[in-house]
Structure formats: C-alpha cells, structure tokens
Amino acid sequence: MANRCHVRSISLPSRSHPTTIRIEEELSKLKPLEASSASTLSSLCFDLSGVDGLYHCVNDLLHLASTQQVLSRHQSQKCLNQLIDWSVRLIDACSITRDAMLQFKEQVQALQSALRRRKGDLSIQENIDDYSCFRKKMRKEANKLIAELKQMDNKLGALQLPNQDQHLSALIRVLREVNVKNSSVFQSFLLFLATPVSKPTQSRWSMVSKLMHKRTPACEETQEIVNELQSVDYALNEMSNVDNIQIARKKLQDLEISIEELENCLERVFRHLIKTRASILNIFSQ
C-alpha cells in the first residue's frame, strides 16, 4: 500500500447561502488534510476535535426551520438520499475504529503488565509477539477500510448538485464537504494504525538474569521515528537491559494515555454522526 493517499482539499464557491456560511467558515479553518502515515496521536486528536466542532455547526443548521423545510420538500432527491446513505458508512468506519482502539489499548495494557511482572524473557517475548501479531492484523483491516473510504470519496466528488433550489444545493454541498473532511480524518487515523511493525535490529535477549542484573546505559534512539507506534516498536526491540525495559514501559504508558484521549475524541464524533443522521431522518418523517 502506498504510504500516502491524497484527499482533495475543500474548495467552496464564492457565493454562499446565508444558512451555510457558518459551516463553510468552520471548514475553511480546518487545514487541508492529506491522509498520511506520518500522523501522530496528538495531530489526530486535533483533527478529530476540529471535526467535532464542525458537527456542532451541522446539527445547528439542521435545527433551522428553513433547513427543515427545504429538506422535507426535496427529500426524494437522489443526491440527497445518496449523501445520507454514505453518512452510514462514516458511522460504520467510526465504530470500527473505536473498537480497534479499545482492542489496541487492551494489548498495550497486557504488554505493560508483562513487563512489570518480569517473570522471564520467554513470557515477555510471548506478549511482545502477541502485540506484533495484533498490529499486523490491525494493519490489514485498516488498509481495507481505507480503500472503502477512498471509493466513497470518489463518489462524493462526482455527486451532482441540484440546480432548481439554491438553498438545497448549498445544503448538499456543505454536507458533502463535511463528509469528505471526516473521511480524510478517518483515513489519517487508519494510516496511523496501518504503520508497519518494525522488525528487531538485533538478536533477542537471552536469559532473564541478564534482564534483571546486567545494567548498561540505555540505548539511544538512532533510527528515524515517524510516530508513536514506531517509537514503541523501537523500544521493544532494544530491551537488552533493565534500563531499556524502563524506557519501553514509559513508551507504552504514554501510548495508552494517548489512546484514551483518542477514544474520547472518537466517541464525541460518533455521537455527532448518529445525531446528524437521526435529525435528517426525523425531518423526513414529519
């Protein structure tokens, strides 16, 4: 899989409908996103917070009487129904990503527990192997979901806007751009999860006595570290002495804290996605 996938930047018309101006302003505040495996957990949290704020505006827009009237009047429009159907895919993508982060945190916690117990190099190595296997499985699933989101992006880009109603056209345009922005954030997130597992650069450590009693200066991180996952991989691969075990434990602890922050961000975005879909369906049922 290529390391980068390009997501088109937001390009909105100069003439905006009054009811959509606020969302278009929020879209312009968010930097153009390029899904990248070089994303860090902090940058992903920032992007998810931006999407969170964006959906606050979307839900405010959907509660306007003028918005409800135009959507109700044109609910049979094919492009509008397609947009709503595609929003379900974003909900699914968010749900899958939330579940992956929960499993990821459990793997990190299990590995931390093994390093604290120090029952032997074989026991610790089994936990490291389990962690690596999980990462490889997650990488495969993430790449599959990225491909699905890219297909959705292409279809969203080809969506034809209706020209018989300026308000409806403006609504569909901003909802489409919000979906594209959300999709690009999820793709960055998934590319992060798809970071290749770094292989050891040295032979595995030998006896537990070397782990427990031999103390040598902790190794320096001399290889290029792109994100937190690679940083943990490097620390695990360099556990040849007690000092380096402490470094690995610290890296895992930091990773767990960041994962919890991401879980909270994903939960907020997920609730907004559900709320937005429910609001539109309620308008259609009136």
Side-chain angles (χ1 to χ4, degrees):
M1 179 194 72
N3 286 335
R4 306 174 79 86
C5 62
H6 297 282
V7 179
R8 67 185 183 86
S9 61
I10 303 300
S11 179
L12 297 170
S14 57
R15 295 183 61 188
S16 302
H17 193 278
T19 58
T20 63
I21 288 178
R22 184 184 170 199
I23 293 181
E24 294 177 1
E25 289 175 346
E26 291 297 319
L27 282 166
S28 66
K29 291 178 184 177
L30 295 174
K31 62 182 176 66
L33 295 174
E34 183 181 88
S36 168
S37 57
S39 296
T40 62
L41 289 171
S42 59
S43 67
L44 290 170
C45 278
F46 179 83
D47 292 338
L48 284 170
S49 296
V51 172
D52 179 37
L54 191 58
Y55 274 101
H56 275 291
C57 298
V58 171
N59 284 309
D60 288 343
L61 174 65
L62 293 175
H63 281 87
L64 293 176
S66 58
T67 299
Q68 295 181 8
Q69 290 172 3
V70 73
L71 289 178
S72 180
R73 187 166 64 249
H74 295 286
Q75 61 180 279
S76 61
Q77 283 280 346
K78 181 180 179 180
C79 58
L80 184 57
N81 286 310
Q82 286 178 326
L83 197 61
I84 296 171
D85 289 341
W86 289 331
S87 70
V88 177
R89 298 187 184 183
L90 284 178
I91 293 174
D92 290 341
C94 189
S95 179
I96 292 171
T97 307
R98 284 193 315 162
D99 292 343
M101 294 311 295
L102 176 60
Q103 296 175 43
F104 195 9
K105 184 171 68 174
E106 291 173 348
Q107 288 289 331
V108 170
Q109 290 172 338
L111 191 48
Q112 287 185 85
S113 179
L115 293 180
R116 283 194 298 267
R117 291 194 304 268
R118 296 181 184 174
K119 290 184 177 180
D121 56 341
L122 181 59
S123 175
I124 294 175
Q125 188 56 53
E126 288 176 351
N127 282 274
I128 293 177
D129 291 342
D130 288 343
Y131 172 80
S132 297
C133 288
F134 173 78
R135 284 273 314 280
K136 292 175 182 178
K137 177 182 177 182
M138 185 166 56
R139 171 176 166 80
K140 180 178 180 181
E141 294 176 351
N143 284 333
K144 178 181 178 181
L145 188 51
I146 288 170
E148 293 175 0
L149 288 174
K150 289 173 69 175
Q151 288 182 348
M152 188 184 77
D153 285 345
N154 292 333
K155 292 180 179 179
L156 284 172
L159 186 67
Q160 296 296 317
L161 300 177
N163 53 22
Q164 71 271 29
D165 189 308
Q166 181 187 4
H167 191 177
L168 177 64
S169 179
L171 284 171
I172 292 178
R173 185 180 68 250
V174 295
L175 290 175
R176 178 184 64 185
E177 300 300 346
V178 167
N179 279 347
V180 169
K181 180 67 71 175
N182 200 351
S183 175
S184 66
V185 171
F186 281 149
Q187 287 181 56
S188 288
F189 202 117
L190 292 163
L191 277 171
F192 175 86
L193 296 180
T195 300
V197 180
S198 300
K199 296 181 179 180
T201 56
Q202 63 179 40
S203 60
R204 292 298 186 186
W205 16 301
S206 54
M207 300 297 291
V208 67
S209 59
K210 292 183 179 181
L211 286 172
M212 299 300 297
H213 303 296
K214 182 180 179 181
R215 299 183 64 87
T216 58
C219 62
E220 297 293 332
E221 293 187 9
T222 56
Q223 69 180 44
E224 181 183 2
I225 301 298
V226 175
N227 60 40
E228 293 88 345
L229 294 187
Q230 289 185 326
S231 182
V232 168
D233 286 347
Y234 184 84
L236 294 175
N237 292 336
E238 295 296 321
M239 289 196 306
S240 57
N241 58 66
V242 175
D243 290 332
N244 291 346
I245 292 178
Q246 297 301 322
I247 292 174
R249 287 177 58 184
K250 181 61 168 61
K251 295 286 187 182
L252 286 165
Q253 183 180 21
D254 292 343
L255 180 58
E256 181 184 0
I257 293 172
S258 296
I259 288 174
E260 289 176 347
E261 293 176 357
L262 277 172
E263 284 182 311
N264 292 332
C265 291
L266 281 169
E267 181 62 29
R268 289 195 296 271
V269 171
F270 182 77
R271 288 199 300 265
H272 279 306
L273 288 169
I274 295 294
K275 184 177 180 181
T276 297
R277 177 169 172 77
S279 296
I280 294 177
L281 293 178
N282 286 338
I283 293 171
F284 285 178
S285 65
Q286 291 176 1

